[in-house]
Amino acid sequence: AAAAAAQPGEQKEEDDDDLPSASPPRLRPARSRPLDVLRRLSDDVVYACGSLSSGYGSADHSHTPQSPLADVPGDMEELPLIVDAWEEEVLEVVAAKLQQCMRMFDFSTNANSREKTVKANALKELVAFFRSPVVRDNDPIYEAVFAVFEANALCALPAAVTVASEDNEDLFEDPAWCHLELVHDMFFSFVENRNYDVVLGASFLTPSFLARLLDGLHSQDHRVRNCIKLLLHELYGRHMRLRAALRKRMKHVLLSCCYEKNSLHYGLAELLDVVGSITNGLLCPLKQEHIEFVVQAILPLHSISALASCHAQLVYVVVKYLEKMPELAPRLVTGILRYWPRLDSGKAVLFLTELEDIAAVAHEELLPVAALVTKRISECVRNPHFQVAERALLMLEQRSVQRLFEAVGMDISATVLAPAQTHWHRVVRSIATQYLQQGLQPLSLSL
């Protein structure tokens, strides 16, 4: 009767006089007030761990999906620590903290500082929990984790900020980075855990989710792009059945950067890093799908205006393809020559560097197109821009490039070096004169 008369939420004190004097010490601590708070939230927790609505993971990713884990108005209270919860209560506490992480805040202001701290502490606990070797085969928890990540990290990007130059691109910092870092750490720890259920996780990696994840590479904050790059590496490595879908989505993003007007190029370097790793793991001989990928999506990237920001990663991908399948060299080089910049000297220097790297990998396979390559190098030596002419002359030191001139029967001294002696820039004239007096000394003797 006394227990029935107790008010809701009021904790009943235990009378030690009712216990036997020789009873062993209690193994469980008395329930504290935070656990009572969690009990009052039990209805919301059960709802949060239930089946998500059909809006989650839908094909329309133009807005943040609605889910049962939606923002609950009111103050956020500190919940009990996961490490202090009883074994049968762990998933309940985790679900409650995941529900707290669905609260959205504006991090460009100092408002709701207490609630932001509570959410940050919950995310830190979830990071530590998902890094532990705990078996998590609970379907509702998987659904809640994916919903939290999509709502927090895959939401609309902040307003674009105009930067003075490409060199200052990485100076932009997202005001919500302190929060986004914890969200990415939480999700990455969940996916990286050795007990992660690949089959169960794949059911939540919908085309909409992958599209929103790749859209996050358009962020101007390089730290956000790097987190998404690492996550793409992990998802591609663990989900073998989703690799084709992920490659298809990557191809779509690359094509949009090439052919769509006003497309952003901030995440191209990170995306090409992922493509390079994928290419490095391909089996030989390459499938037709992979050949079409490099021809249709990689080669057109040579035409973009922001080539300098991702050229190193682009060359890496091209070279890896040639290492896997050297007979692709004529086709790739012909495509590169088609996009050759006529008026942009900076891009011309990048193209010459790429040709040199390709010749070092597949010099024998380049013989069918040796006439085209040598003609372009000769034109660059006579280029009025001294950096283009200098870079073309330095290529002649490579034995692989010299063999291309020998294959077409072209005398380098008479057709290339002699005209360079009349160049307006003294550095170009000096290099040409030195080559004529001392002879070309190949640097790559092993070739």
Side-chain angles (χ1 to χ4, degrees):
Q7 297 295 329
E10 184 177 342
Q11 186 171 345
K12 179 180 179 296
E13 296 182 358
E14 295 181 352
D15 189 359
D16 293 339
D17 294 336
D18 296 339
L19 300 175
S21 58
S23 61
R26 291 180 59 84
L27 298 179
R28 288 181 171 181
R31 293 188 184 276
S32 59
R33 184 175 178 276
L35 278 177
D36 291 337
V37 174
L38 181 58
R39 293 303 181 191
R40 292 202 300 270
L41 294 174
S42 59
D43 294 338
D44 294 334
V45 171
V46 172
Y47 187 49
C49 288
S51 176
L52 294 182
S53 65
S54 59
Y56 173 69
S58 61
D60 181 13
H61 56 274
S62 60
H63 61 281
T64 302
Q66 298 294 329
S67 80
L69 291 175
D71 184 10
V72 180
D75 295 335
M76 294 177 62
E77 299 189 49
E78 287 281 1
L79 298 180
L81 299 178
I82 298 177
V83 295
D84 294 338
W86 298 346
E87 183 178 354
E88 61 271 17
E89 294 175 335
V90 169
L91 291 180
E92 189 177 358
V93 178
V94 170
K97 291 185 179 293
L98 287 171
Q99 184 183 10
Q100 281 188 332
C101 294
M102 290 298 297
R103 293 287 299 272
M104 303 301 168
F105 302 102
D106 183 6
F107 286 87
S108 61
T109 65
N110 294 327
N112 306 110
S113 58
R114 178 184 174 277
E115 287 78 6
K116 292 177 183 177
T117 302
V118 173
K119 182 177 181 179
N121 292 335
L123 287 170
K124 291 177 182 177
E125 282 193 69
L126 291 172
V127 171
F129 174 72
F130 291 140
R131 285 177 178 173
S132 61
V134 180
V135 178
R136 292 176 303 281
D137 54 355
N138 186 279
D139 189 350
I141 291 296
Y142 272 70
E143 195 166 4
V145 170
F146 276 87
V148 168
F149 177 75
E150 187 168 3
N152 285 269
L154 305 185
C155 54
L157 295 175
V161 177
T162 303
V163 292
S165 65
E166 295 180 357
D167 296 335
N168 296 327
E169 173 187 328
D170 292 344
L171 295 180
F172 174 78
E173 294 184 356
D174 195 326
W177 167 247
C178 58
H179 162 254
L180 291 174
E181 183 180 19
L182 293 174
V183 174
H184 279 279
D185 287 346
M186 181 271 295
F187 190 72
F188 187 82
S189 301
F190 179 79
V191 176
E192 188 185 31
N193 192 283
R194 64 185 182 184
N195 294 321
Y196 171 75
D197 191 336
V198 175
V199 177
L200 185 57
S203 61
F204 301 104
L205 292 174
T206 61
S208 172
F209 183 93
L210 297 179
R212 291 166 61 85
L213 182 63
L214 289 171
D215 287 344
L217 289 174
H218 293 318
S219 172
Q220 286 185 272
D221 195 325
H222 67 99
R223 300 169 299 182
V224 176
R225 301 197 303 266
N226 188 62
C227 286
I228 295 179
K229 179 185 74 172
L230 296 176
L231 183 57
L232 287 172
H233 277 293
E234 188 67 24
L235 291 177
Y236 191 89
R238 304 208 68 172
H239 292 273
M240 296 186 63
R241 295 185 178 181
L242 293 177
R243 290 181 178 180
L246 195 53
R247 289 195 302 268
K248 182 178 179 181
R249 190 63 201 178
M250 290 180 181
K251 181 179 180 180
H252 173 77
V253 174
L254 294 175
L255 290 175
S256 66
C257 292
C258 297
Y259 299 112
E260 291 184 5
K261 294 182 179 180
N262 301 324
S263 60
L264 299 178
H265 303 142
Y266 293 114
L268 266 182
E270 289 79 6
L271 182 57
L272 288 175
D273 271 336
V274 180
V275 175
S277 298
I278 294 174
T279 307
N280 194 31
L282 296 179
L283 298 178
C284 298
L286 297 179
K287 297 180 180 179
Q288 184 63 28
E289 171 198 352
H290 304 307
I291 298 176
E292 293 177 355
F293 185 92
V294 66
V295 173
Q296 298 175 3
I298 298 300
L299 286 183
L301 289 176
H302 291 82
S303 64
I304 65 174
S305 58
L307 180 63
S309 63
C310 61
H311 186 256
Q313 293 80 5
L314 180 62
V315 173
Y316 180 83
V317 174
V318 173
V319 170
K320 284 299 176 182
Y321 265 98
L322 293 178
E323 289 178 353
K324 299 287 182 178
M325 196 172 181
E327 52 269 28
L328 282 176
R331 189 175 181 182
L332 296 184
V333 169
T334 303
I336 293 174
L337 295 177
R338 185 182 302 117
Y339 294 106
W340 196 274
R342 296 293 182 178
L343 302 177
D344 193 334
S345 58
K347 290 182 66 175
V349 173
L350 296 178
F351 274 57
L352 289 171
T353 303
E354 185 172 1
L355 279 183
E356 183 178 347
D357 293 338
I358 293 175
V361 175
H363 55 280
E364 294 293 340
E365 287 75 14
L366 282 180
L367 295 180
V369 293
L372 296 176
V373 176
T374 54
K375 178 182 178 181
R376 189 55 50 88
I377 295 176
S378 301
E379 292 176 353
C380 290
V381 171
R382 298 189 298 269
N383 193 289
H385 198 285
F386 78 96
Q387 290 182 338
V388 177
E390 180 184 5
R391 187 67 188 87
L393 282 175
L394 294 177
M395 288 181 62
L396 300 178
E397 295 181 345
Q398 301 294 334
R399 181 57 184 150
S400 57
V401 177
Q402 295 176 13
R403 286 182 175 178
L404 295 178
F405 281 90
E406 295 172 359
V408 295
M410 184 181 294
D411 185 3
I412 297 179
S413 299
T415 60
V416 180
L417 298 181
Q421 287 186 305
T422 61
H423 198 276
W424 69 270
H425 199 276
R426 62 178 183 84
V427 174
V428 177
R429 296 196 304 268
S430 175
I431 296 176
T433 303
Q434 180 182 356
Y435 284 165
L436 288 173
Q437 293 177 353
Q438 302 179 3
L440 291 174
Q441 300 296 329
L443 298 179
S444 303
L445 296 178
S446 60
L447 296 177

